[in-house]
Amino acid sequence: MSAFGTRVNRVEDRRLLTSGGVYVDDLRVPALRGAAYVTFVRSPVAHAVITRIDTSRARARPGVVAVYTAADLTGLPAPQPFGRPAHSGGFFAEPLLAGEKVRFVGEPVAVVLTDARYDGQDAAELVDVEYRRLPAVVGPAQALRDGTLLFEEAGSNLADQRDRDTYDDTVFDGADVVVEREIVNHRVACVPMEGRATAAVFDGTRLTVWHSSQNAQRCRSTLAESLGIPAEAIRVIVPDVGGGFGAKIGIDRDAIVVAWAAWRSGTAVRWAESRAENLVAMTQGRAQLNRVRIGGRRDGTITAYRLDVVQDAGAYPRTSTLAPVTCTMAPGVYDIPQVQSGYRVVVTNGTPVNKYRGAGRPEATAAIERAVDLFAAEIGMDPAEVRRRNVIAADAFPFRTGTGALYDSGEYGAALDRLLGAAAYPRLRAEQAARRDKGCVNALGIGISVYVEMTGGGGETARVTVDGRGHARVLTGSSTQGQGHRTAWSMLVEAELGIPVDRITVVHGDTDLIPKAVGTYSSRSLQLGGSAVHQAAADVRNQARRHAAGLLAVRESDVTLDVASGTWHVAGDPGRSLTWEQVVGHTGAGSIRADAEFASDRPTFPFGAHLSVVEVDTETGMVTVLRHMTVDDAGPVLNPVLAEGQRHGGIAQGIAQVLFEEVRYDADGNPLHATLADYGAVAAADLPDFELEAGETPTDVNPLGVKGIGEAGTIGSIPAVQNAVIDAVAHLGVRHIDMPMTPDRVWAAIGEAGAERRSRRRTANGSPADGSV
């Protein structure tokens, strides 16, 4: 029996929708009774030297348990540098609490512990911190040219770079057309429904930490390294998590300080950040300044492409993977003979940037898909046709790209054709032309993207146990933040063992129960965690067959499991059957258990095509998304309900980035997005019903043949919507608009294009370009 393709409603939803989830801030375990509440003192300035910290007034306030600053953290392992070899103290090292210098608004300077939750802010305001302000470095362009340094010992704001010295302009010499453009992939906030939250207690022997995270085991190893505590003396438990999107991979400095405070004070502590804290202090995403150069022939063939990336890391480079992934995925789905990519990573006085849904792949796709549209406009060819002529052929897989990625399988042209057919593409273009002929104020735009992404890689663990009641328990290294792991893993176990879903328990996120695991990110769960569960369940089945054969007094080869009924019987004689309870009882051990660790030596490459139809009010710049259609191919689909949910969420986040969301700073580095009243989060009313179709091109990288789907919607939707908005106003002379495509930005682009057209006409008529006489 195969579980694949079965629509099973999420079994976890009954609890979440009735009694509700139990998140870190909901915990009422005995160990946390009487816990002190943590409040951070955060820097109100973006860049400054700390000249004095006085905590005496705060310490004297009734109800204050303790106040800690960087001076109290002496003796801990030194923070690690990023990128280049360290000098004294290391380049770009990020302290747990800022002691000498602050580098972004919201950076933690001190921490206050109080008996009552709401006393914390009053006590924090009594911590007197004096700052000597320094000029702020805002944005990657300023970081490259500005003499103001965030880390003076580094000598520049450049934290890392690669491959830019290999660029060769001669690859564009034979092109009929070369187009070059700077493209901003702006900074966005992650905005999970549940912000960061941590609770901790130290009993004198062990440190127990509850943390809202995507991987408990990585939290434990980071805590051990940061606090100098053996990993076996730390237990990390991850309860329900209200969204992660990459920003909750592992554990960050704020949560480490909370754990340290419990260890140092001997008091149980807890912390849940406010939304204002979350918007300025939780890591953010994207923040790339990209320059694309694309060349080709007038028949639509692309011959060369270059992507030059400047990654804004924020105040501290939290990760070294974003820009390299963007460069690796630079050519997208296209068979381009010459591909060049390189990057620079710079530090700025903004919140640190880290992984966010797609983590480097949306940026690469947005760049190449805009470049293809720019190229198509330059040669006067339909953008769909340019894509059709350049996608990698289906018989070319496995395909090694010019940047070294080995694509496992794909049918890019088929996905594009299926999308265009479902959208009735010629009819859309006809409607667009009719509106333009009539001079309609509401212009129609059609945007296309064809994408490929990189998911998975590495390994994951699982344990499956069947007890004497015939119930199964799954321990999984994959950690859920809403993806539906309990449903998916139960489906896999039911298909293998015939045990109904309602008799299967799935456990994750506890390092005492699952000491070795990798966790959830990079759309890896089903292909790695699911494969491990599948292997463990198959092992349990093989063990059970031996015991069933003994009970039935036949050879193992004569015993079969009827998955539909969950009973064992002699092949050809279903009347002689055994239940799981009987088979497990025969073992004498009370259970049958199997452990599995599945690993793949390479990632998988899901792909698809998106088409967005928008309407732009040319008098106001207002954009309305009318339709969004997708063909997403992540191999065989286990549960369409779960896959569609992931696609819906991803598309919504992609549309939000294109039209609404933006983290902004003023010239002094002050954030202009500190509340949801200022930050443009998407609402259901802003979105159309999504029209989804799925392909199922399998991979040979794992036994299930599956690829990741969690980030596909974001990766495909961003360039489709951006291209659609630009396409809507292309007849007015607009060639490019950077995201977010807010009404004022679209309206300004229309106005600038109109002014340029009028200037050209005056010049052509022999009048001065400025209109003077």
Side-chain angles (χ1 to χ4, degrees):
M1 171 180 147
S2 173
F4 277 81
T6 306
R7 300 188 72 89
V8 175
N9 289 331
R10 290 164 42 105
V11 297
E12 42 270 277
D13 285 352
R14 178 179 293 274
R15 177 180 65 87
L16 293 173
L17 295 173
T18 53
S19 60
V22 178
Y23 304 91
V24 171
D25 204 33
D26 299 322
L27 291 169
R28 297 295 181 265
V29 297
L32 293 176
R33 286 177 186 160
Y37 291 89
V38 169
T39 302
F40 282 96
V41 178
R42 299 188 180 276
S43 172
V45 296
H47 197 198
V49 173
I50 299 173
T51 59
R52 186 176 74 93
I53 302 179
D54 184 354
T55 63
S56 57
R57 288 198 303 153
R59 293 178 192 274
R61 181 183 172 89
V64 172
V65 176
V67 182
Y68 298 120
T69 68
D72 298 298
L73 295 168
T74 56
L76 296 182
Q80 296 301 304
F82 167 85
R84 300 184 291 185
H87 287 190
S88 58
F91 286 145
F92 311 110
E94 182 173 9
L96 295 178
L97 292 174
E100 299 177 357
K101 193 176 185 183
V102 292
R103 296 180 173 91
F104 68 98
V105 172
E107 181 163 13
V109 174
V111 62
V112 177
L113 276 60
T114 56
D115 288 328
R117 179 193 293 264
Y118 298 108
D119 286 345
Q121 191 58 48
D122 291 336
E125 291 176 0
L126 296 178
V127 177
D128 186 13
V129 186
E130 292 183 359
Y131 301 95
R132 177 167 56 83
R133 291 175 181 260
L134 299 171
V137 177
V138 180
Q142 186 178 348
L144 288 173
R145 67 174 183 265
D146 203 307
T148 300
L149 302 181
L150 273 70
F151 298 84
E152 290 83 357
E153 65 274 22
S156 79
N157 290 320
L158 185 64
D160 194 18
Q161 64 178 327
R162 194 191 74 185
D163 294 341
R164 300 186 73 252
D165 57 347
T166 65
Y167 292 166
D168 178 9
D169 289 344
T170 63
V171 301
F172 295 94
D173 288 350
D176 298 332
V177 171
V178 177
V179 183
E180 191 165 1
R181 167 73 67 172
E182 186 174 270
I183 296 174
V184 176
N185 204 303
H186 60 293
R187 181 189 283 252
V188 294
C190 295
V191 201
M193 291 185 69
E194 178 202 22
R196 296 175 298 168
T198 308
V201 63
F202 181 60
D203 64 6
T205 303
R206 294 194 84 199
L207 176 67
T208 301
V209 179
W210 293 263
H211 183 53
S212 182
S213 176
Q214 296 175 219
N215 34 17
Q217 293 72 20
R218 179 177 288 195
C219 292
R220 183 180 62 173
S221 62
T222 302
L223 283 166
E225 293 169 4
S226 301
L227 303 181
I229 302 174
E232 56 270 20
I234 302 172
R235 181 184 185 185
V236 176
I237 302 170
V238 174
D240 288 321
V241 177
F245 309 126
K248 291 184 181 178
I249 294 175
I251 189 168
D252 62 14
R253 65 192 289 188
D254 303 58
I256 294 171
V257 169
V258 174
W260 173 86
W263 179 62
R264 168 68 180 268
S265 68
T267 301
V269 299
R270 59 195 314 157
W271 168 67
E273 70 178 351
S274 67
R275 181 58 63 187
E277 278 186 292
N278 177 268
L279 284 169
V280 300
M282 187 184 211
T283 57
Q284 296 168 351
R286 310 294 186 243
Q288 284 187 3
L289 179 63
N290 296 326
R291 179 161 287 277
V292 298
R293 193 177 194 192
I294 187 168
R297 299 194 293 267
R298 292 196 176 276
D299 66 0
T301 304
I302 300 170
T303 57
Y305 176 65
R306 178 189 296 163
L307 172 63
D308 187 65
V309 177
V310 183
Q311 174 70 61
D312 179 354
Y316 301 95
R318 292 282 185 97
T319 179
S320 58
T321 61
L322 296 180
V325 167
T326 300
C327 289
T328 296
M329 299 307 297
V333 298
Y334 303 108
D335 188 355
I336 304 174
Q338 297 290 337
V339 179
Q340 301 172 357
S341 63
Y343 66 83
R344 287 168 287 179
V345 178
V346 296
V347 288
T348 64
N349 291 121
T351 302
V353 170
N354 208 332
K355 295 178 179 177
Y356 171 63
R357 200 169 195 164
R361 287 98 81 199
E363 296 88 329
T365 305
I368 184 64
E369 289 302 295
R370 276 301 300 135
V372 170
D373 261 32
L374 289 165
F375 176 71
E378 190 67 24
I379 64 174
M381 184 176 288
D382 187 287
E385 183 58 30
V386 172
R387 287 170 168 81
R388 185 180 288 111
R389 295 186 183 196
N390 289 281
V391 293
I392 300 164
D395 60 3
F397 292 90
F399 182 86
R400 179 77 67 179
T401 72
T403 57
L406 182 63
Y407 294 175
D408 51 352
S409 61
E411 295 186 358
Y412 305 154
L416 174 61
D417 288 341
R418 184 175 174 187
L419 176 75
L420 297 177
Y425 184 66
R427 194 160 35 192
L428 287 173
R429 286 295 181 197
E431 181 184 347
Q432 180 186 61
R435 289 198 189 194
R436 289 178 176 178
D437 289 344
K438 294 176 183 177
C440 290
V441 169
N442 292 321
L444 194 71
I446 304 138
I448 301 168
S449 76
V450 186
Y451 74 91
V452 59
E453 64 155 324
M454 177 169 55
T455 67
E460 195 52 273
T461 61
R463 171 180 292 174
V464 174
T465 305
V466 179
D467 64 22
R469 301 173 301 148
H471 288 223
R473 188 183 194 220
V474 179
L475 301 183
T476 174
S478 293
S479 191
T480 182
Q481 306 95 55
Q483 295 92 333
H485 284 25
R486 183 186 170 196
T487 303
W489 291 184
S490 297
M491 290 176 67
L492 291 171
V493 171
E494 181 181 39
E496 195 66 33
L497 303 182
I499 297 173
V501 166
D502 60 3
R503 298 174 71 181
I504 301 170
T505 303
V506 177
V507 178
H508 71 92
D510 188 329
T511 58
D512 273 9
L513 298 176
I514 312 152
K516 183 179 181 181
V518 178
T520 299
Y521 56 90
S522 193
S523 301
R524 67 194 311 276
S525 289
L526 182 59
Q527 55 190 310
L528 298 171
S531 291
V533 170
H534 171 73
Q535 288 186 349
D539 191 348
V540 167
R541 178 172 175 158
N542 290 335
Q543 293 181 51
R545 180 178 284 106
R546 292 195 294 273
H547 293 289
L551 278 170
L552 294 169
V554 297
R555 294 177 301 179
E556 286 185 37
S557 58
D558 291 332
V559 177
T560 187
L561 173 66
D562 180 5
V563 174
S565 64
T567 58
W568 294 89
H569 62 83
V570 178
D573 187 5
R576 297 180 62 195
S577 63
L578 299 169
T579 65
W580 270 103
E581 292 92 324
Q582 291 171 307
V583 172
V584 173
H586 181 260
T587 68
S591 66
I592 300 175
R593 190 185 85 184
D595 294 305
E597 182 173 357
F598 175 77
S600 63
D601 59 357
R602 56 196 172 99
T604 60
F605 292 86
F607 64 94
H610 285 216
L611 187 147
S612 197
V613 182
V614 305
E615 195 172 70
V616 176
D617 185 330
T618 57
E619 293 182 343
T620 66
M622 183 68 186
V623 177
T624 303
V625 182
L626 302 179
R627 299 177 67 189
H628 194 90
M629 292 148 278
T630 83
V631 175
D632 297 304
D633 193 319
V637 177
L638 174 62
N639 184 346
V641 173
L642 300 181
E644 289 164 7
Q646 287 293 297
R647 293 165 72 187
H648 285 168
I651 295 166
Q653 283 183 286
I655 293 174
Q657 179 180 344
V658 177
L659 298 183
F660 307 112
E661 297 191 48
E662 184 181 21
V663 166
R664 296 180 297 125
Y665 296 93
D666 68 15
D668 295 321
N670 297 309
L672 304 176
H673 58 277
T675 72
L676 289 178
D678 305 308
Y679 187 79
V682 71
D686 300 316
L687 303 169
D689 290 335
F690 304 137
E691 302 169 47
L692 308 182
E693 298 207 18
E696 295 196 4
T697 305
T699 181
D700 61 359
V701 174
N702 60 72
L704 301 178
V706 299
K707 309 180 186 184
I709 193 62
E711 295 157 304
T714 303
I715 295 168
S717 64
I718 290 172
V721 178
Q722 185 179 21
N723 285 340
V725 175
I726 296 167
D727 179 67
V729 293
H731 66 295
L732 302 177
V734 176
R735 292 292 172 260
H736 181 76
I737 307 171
D738 277 319
M739 301 180 287
M741 306 174 97
T742 53
D744 57 340
R745 184 169 287 180
V746 174
W747 182 81
I750 294 170
E752 290 167 7
E756 186 176 337
R757 287 200 317 275
R758 290 191 295 273
S759 176
R760 285 199 301 267
R761 282 200 299 268
R762 285 195 297 267
T763 302
N765 293 333
S767 302
D770 62 1
S772 62
V773 179

